């Protein structure tokens, strides 16, 4: 993938993260009488029963992981150049993003099953 295309993905995931976090905050503000008003343990677990809430959380996880690890990749590539370095940084960032996505998705699934 060309670097310009990768940077477009970086910009779009940044914008998507802002929109999704705004939606997440609106969940908390619009429904002050419901489960979203309190951060008590039982209410937080009850939030995970709402499929739209779970979808928003998963989308936030995906966009922030992609945006964050791509940003880390850009920073590391600025520190040093070379084909081997670029390849190693790319694969380490992909592996890191996949690990974060797997762990976060696992956490969302387990919380919604409780």
């Amino acid at each position: 993938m060309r670097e310009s295309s990768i940077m477009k993905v970086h910009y779009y995931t940044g914008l998507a993260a802002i929109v999704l976090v705004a939606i997440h905050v609106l969940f908390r503000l619009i429904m002050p009488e419901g489960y979203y008003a309190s951060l008590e343990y039982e209410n937080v677990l009850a939030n995970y029963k709402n499929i739209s809430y779970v979808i928003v959380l998963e989308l936030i996880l995906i966009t922030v992981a992609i945006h964050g690890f791509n940003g880390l990749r850009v920073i590391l590539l600025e520190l040093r150049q070379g084909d081997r370095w670029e390849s190693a940084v790319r694969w380490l960032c992909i592996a890191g993003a996949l690990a974060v996505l797997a762990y976060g998705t696992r956490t969302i699934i387990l919380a919604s099953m409780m």
Side-chain angles (χ1 to χ4, degrees):
M1 209 173 192
R2 292 181 41 202
E3 191 65 28
S4 62
S5 299
I6 293 172
M7 287 312 293
K8 284 181 186 174
V9 169
H10 188 68
Y11 301 143
Y12 292 143
T13 56
L15 290 173
I18 291 170
V19 170
L20 289 168
V21 169
I23 292 169
H24 175 70
V25 169
L26 286 175
F27 265 114
R28 311 239 358 124
L29 294 177
I30 290 174
M31 300 180 206
E33 301 300 323
Y35 290 120
Y36 301 102
S38 171
L39 290 177
E40 293 178 13
Y41 182 74
E42 294 80 20
N43 291 343
V44 171
L45 285 182
N47 290 340
Y48 284 90
K49 302 297 183 203
N50 183 343
I51 189 69
S52 59
Y53 187 79
V54 170
I55 290 171
V56 168
L57 287 179
E58 185 68 25
L59 290 174
I60 290 171
L61 174 67
I62 292 167
T63 57
V64 169
I66 292 171
H67 184 79
F69 278 97
N70 188 46
L72 177 63
R73 182 192 68 81
V74 169
I75 291 168
L76 292 175
L77 292 180
E78 288 289 322
L79 292 175
R80 188 171 153 197
Q81 271 78 49
D83 291 336
R84 289 182 56 178
W85 175 253
E86 288 181 21
S87 180
V89 166
R90 179 181 344 121
W91 288 112
L92 285 173
C93 287
I94 289 171
L98 290 175
V100 166
L101 289 172
Y103 186 75
T105 301
R106 173 198 153 276
T107 303
I108 291 171
I109 291 170
L110 288 176
S112 65
M113 290 173 46
M114 292 181 122

